[in-house]
Amino acid sequence: MVDWALAAQTGALLVRGGPQVPREDAEAAVTDLRELTMEAEGHVRQLTNLGLDLPLLPGEVVDRPGWVRSAAAGLDALTGRALPQQGGPFGPILAGGAGVQTGLVLAFLASRVLGQYDPFGGPDREGRLLLVAPNVVAAERAMDVPGHDFRLWVCLHECTHRLQFTAVTWLRDYFADEVERLVAGLAGGGSDSLADLVGRLPEAIKQGPKLNLAELLQSPKERAVFDRLLALSTLLEGHADFVMDAVGPQVVPSVDTIRARFTARRKGGGVFDRLLRALLGVDAKIRQYEEGAKFTKHVVDAVGMEGFNAVWRSPNTLPSRAEIADPAAWVRRLHG
């Protein structure tokens, strides 16, 4: 359904260039980011007690086209099992059209992503930790914060994501299976009739803005998968945000300034930029950081980090979407 090679080519071609940086400054930033990933992960392990026996590995530093190509490859690996191949004479045309559209989205996002851990990327699909050097440099300049501090702060977040997937051995396959269930259901068109959709309207109206159009169109089975994935991604993002701020005061002297300016930057932008972010779900992503961080902080305050780490025991100990909003309910369920 998507020509991922064309998506990568389109996104890499259309992405805007990064900031103008003297060569020696650019090389210093690349070296700094690569080395800081190992330092950052060491700090994250000490706080979380995750992955203490795993090797410390450097991250990969890429430019914007490099991120586009990596993101397309990772999405292909993640969705390839679930998305059907377009057959018939128009199959390649439809897949190409979807590829161009996806490339446009990737080009937009490529100028904003600071870093990413892709658990399905890399030559052997064993995961890749990527840091987008031009975006990191552009952000630290725009916010007027110390470069080394900001780079370490970003690495703390992304290394937390790497530990989530490398230290919790079942998480990668669980996430992929859930995505496959959701994508397969959506790609198959579902079995719901118009009457089924109309029948769900009263509940949708009752929930008001809590339920968006995409959720309304999902069958109950698809909605259950969607809720599990949303809860998981909110947990992962919020946990990473909590960790970067918890570690920050000890190793990032300007962390308070960075957090304040970064939060303001997340919510800024012109009208067109804000519209695109809303359409692409970027604003929803920001809410995930906030909600997930609140969940993590509440649980850690209540039962400590070891008590929080019960989330990683199995899929059954992950918080539900309702428990993300009510962390005390998760604490009661897991700790009595």
Side-chain angles (χ1 to χ4, degrees), residues 19-43:
Q20 296 297 315
V21 179
R23 183 179 182 83
E24 57 186 39
D25 290 351
E27 291 176 346
V30 169
T31 300
D32 209 19
L33 285 167
R34 186 178 293 117
E35 294 176 350
L36 283 174
T37 51
M38 293 186 287
E39 178 185 340
E41 188 160 320
H43 294 309

Side-chain angles (χ1 to χ4, degrees), residues 292-314:
K294 288 179 181 177
F295 172 87
T296 304
K297 184 178 187 308
H298 180 102
V299 174
V300 171
D301 287 347
V303 294
M305 184 59 71
E306 286 307 307
F308 171 85
N309 282 344
V311 297
W312 312 122
R313 289 178 190 164
S314 76

Side-chain angles (χ1 to χ4, degrees), residues 7 34 39 43 49 64 75 90 121 155 181 184 219 237 250 261 277-278 295-296 311 322:
R34 186 178 293 117
E39 178 185 340
H43 294 309
N49 290 324
R64 290 173 175 177
L75 288 168
F90 297 108
C155 288
R181 290 188 186 95
S219 69
E237 294 295 358
Q250 285 75 47
R261 294 180 183 177
R277 289 188 334 204
F295 172 87
T296 304
V311 297

